[in-house]
Amino acid sequence: MDEVKRIVLNQETDEDRVTSISLRPERLSDFIGQKDLVANIRVAVDAAKQRQEPLEHMLFSGPPGLGKTSLAHIISHEMNSRITVTSGPAIERAGDFIGILTNLEAGDILFIDEIHRMSKTVEEFLYPAMESFKIDFVVDKGPYAKTINFNLKPFTLIGATTRSGLLASPLRDRFGIFHHLDFYEPADLAKIIMNAARKLGVTLDNEAAALIAARARGTPRIAIRLLKRSRDFAQVETGKSAIEPKIVSLAMERLKIDSQGLDEFDRKILRVILENYNGGPVGIEALSATLNEESDTIADVVEPYLLKIGFLRRTSRGREVTEKARQHLLIP
Ligand code: ADP
């Protein structure tokens, strides 16, 4: 179950991290899909370059694996600037953060992934840093306490979050540019798969790419992972580097990924709601207790795609399984 679960979950694994370095698009022109967003970033980048100013702070929101980190790297590349990468949970103390901020040069990009998971103290440091490139910190206690002001170089903060709803509004308001990334269309995923296959040195035809794209849950990270698993099957079953459609079908069958890209865990969630809760509505906490899975994982990673394809419905009283999902699972 764990192995299967990992395959279609959009959270990053160590293997993804290694391949994503070589497969990551470098330029905006290599970034497939999300056309409006790419066009808007292009304008912002060109305008900042013409004015010779740093870019405005940018916030990317959307489910994991849709290209938020890739975009931050692309922007640093397009702006010819350095990038420092960190994440909300990684910055534990305000002291760590002061170090990061004071090391930034003019025009540098600071990318903070999972910015909604930053601690409140660290977040409060960020406000003056974002707004006026200043930080104030207090040294010593009681009568000896002194506030030290520090001027920072003008930098660009790029934040990424899977849940913009969890972001405090003072933080959200300090971003000049806000972009939401949505799930990709199968045609765009097929292009991403074709490009990745070329870089990995394997061949596959349009039909095989379309089969993978249909099961990739609108997510490039999953598309690339399924491509790599299909490559393994091609190598072992046929001894060739060409991935034929029948090999993709075989791989998906073995990995228990169905025609909609659902795995055993998705089907289990739907079945639990149908069988234990009479189809819903059921609250996320109850569901998380029954499934023994963190409610955040359900809300961030599993649920968005089920909502997107119309298998789940969110109501004020909880989650409900739809008729479409019943038919897919063939449950009356
Ligand atoms: P996120 O930060 O949103 O979780 P990443 O930027 O790490 O997602 O992207 C996950 C993987 O998908 C990376 O390997 C990246 O190369 C690939 N990818 C994402 N979006 C695209 C895209 N539009 N075009 C090509 N590859 C993409």
Side-chain angles (χ1 to χ4, degrees):
M1 178 77 166
D2 272 357
E3 173 61 18
V4 177
K5 232 172 93 178
R6 272 209 313 274
I7 300 270
V8 298
L9 283 198
N10 38 15
Q11 282 163 326
E12 192 173 42
T13 63
D14 288 341
E15 188 194 349
D16 292 334
R17 218 159 286 136
V18 174
T19 29
S20 72
I21 295 168
S22 52
L23 297 181
R24 198 157 257 165
E26 285 196 358
R27 292 273 168 196
L28 261 185
S29 50
D30 305 328
F31 194 85
I32 294 160
Q34 313 277 354
K35 285 221 163 41
D36 294 346
L37 183 152
V38 168
N40 288 335
I41 292 178
R42 163 74 58 211
V43 171
V45 164
D46 288 348
K49 275 189 5 205
Q50 282 168 17
R51 289 195 301 263
Q52 298 186 318
E53 281 174 8
L55 264 181
E56 273 187 83
H57 304 308
M58 259 187 219
L59 181 67
F60 293 131
S61 70
L66 297 194
K68 299 183 291 298
T69 308
S70 303
L71 280 174
H73 284 275
I74 288 175
I75 290 170
S76 98
H77 204 153
E78 296 278 347
M79 292 294 296
N80 286 322
S81 55
R82 297 189 317 170
I83 180 166
T84 302
V85 177
T86 184
S87 78
I91 320 168
E92 284 174 7
R93 292 168 305 125
D96 303 340
F97 202 36
I98 294 170
I100 295 176
L101 290 172
T102 52
N103 270 320
L104 296 173
E105 296 291 336
D108 275 8
I109 289 175
L110 173 61
F111 176 63
I112 307 184
D113 202 4
E114 297 189 80
I115 195 165
H116 61 280
R117 293 179 58 197
M118 210 159 44
S119 77
K120 271 276 158 292
T121 356
V122 171
E123 196 176 303
E124 271 154 25
F125 257 97
L126 197 52
Y127 295 160
M130 286 174 81
E131 215 163 61
S132 45
F133 305 114
K134 284 198 178 93
I135 43 176
D136 311 317
F137 52 98
V138 182
V139 288
D140 280 340
K141 289 200 172 93
Y144 305 106
K146 279 196 300 256
T147 306
I148 299 188
N149 313 97
F150 208 98
N151 285 327
L152 302 171
K153 313 255 172 56
F155 66 96
T156 300
L157 175 72
I158 301 183
T161 175
T162 46
R163 293 220 252 159
S164 61
L166 291 185
L167 225 57
S169 60
L171 177 57
R172 197 200 312 227
D173 295 345
R174 282 174 171 82
F175 284 97
I177 306 173
F178 187 99
H179 288 299
H180 181 73
L181 279 82
D182 218 335
F183 289 113
Y184 289 67
E185 295 303 324
D188 288 333
L189 289 173
K191 277 189 215 151
I192 293 174
I193 292 164
M194 285 300 212
N195 283 350
R198 207 172 312 121
K199 290 186 193 166
L200 291 170
V202 293
T203 50
L204 85 173
D205 58 17
N206 291 334
E207 191 188 341
L211 279 175
I212 298 177
R215 288 158 181 77
R217 311 166 74 96
T219 307
R221 175 175 293 144
I222 297 176
I224 291 170
R225 211 182 287 154
L226 296 181
L227 169 69
K228 285 163 63 199
R229 290 292 81 80
S230 304
R231 174 181 66 165
D232 294 347
F233 276 90
Q235 194 181 319
V236 173
E237 299 287 333
T238 68
K240 286 188 273 184
S241 64
I243 304 172
E244 292 162 11
K246 67 170 194 291
I247 288 293
V248 175
S249 302
L250 173 74
M252 299 302 131
E253 203 175 292
R254 296 271 186 86
L255 297 168
K256 301 199 171 81
I257 296 168
D258 69 22
S259 60
Q260 291 276 351
L262 305 194
D263 70 355
E264 288 189 310
F265 189 68
D266 299 298
R267 289 188 294 266
K268 186 172 164 195
I269 289 196
L270 296 171
R271 277 184 200 284
V272 161
I273 303 179
L274 282 168
E275 288 163 10
N276 301 27
Y277 298 96
N278 202 17
V282 51
I284 188 108
E285 295 306 331
L287 203 53
S288 121
T290 316
L291 292 161
N292 195 17
E293 186 68 57
E294 281 192 31
S295 56
D296 275 359
T297 310
I298 299 179
D300 287 357
V301 180
V302 188
E303 190 179 72
Y305 185 67
L306 295 177
L307 289 166
K308 153 93 184 170
I309 59 170
F311 275 21
L312 270 189
R313 206 176 13 237
R314 203 156 35 188
T315 71
S316 56
R317 287 179 304 144
R319 279 74 179 157
E320 272 172 13
V321 170
T322 62
E323 186 51 36
K324 200 170 162 195
R326 269 178 218 267
Q327 281 178 7
H328 181 72
L329 297 172
L330 291 175
I331 291 181

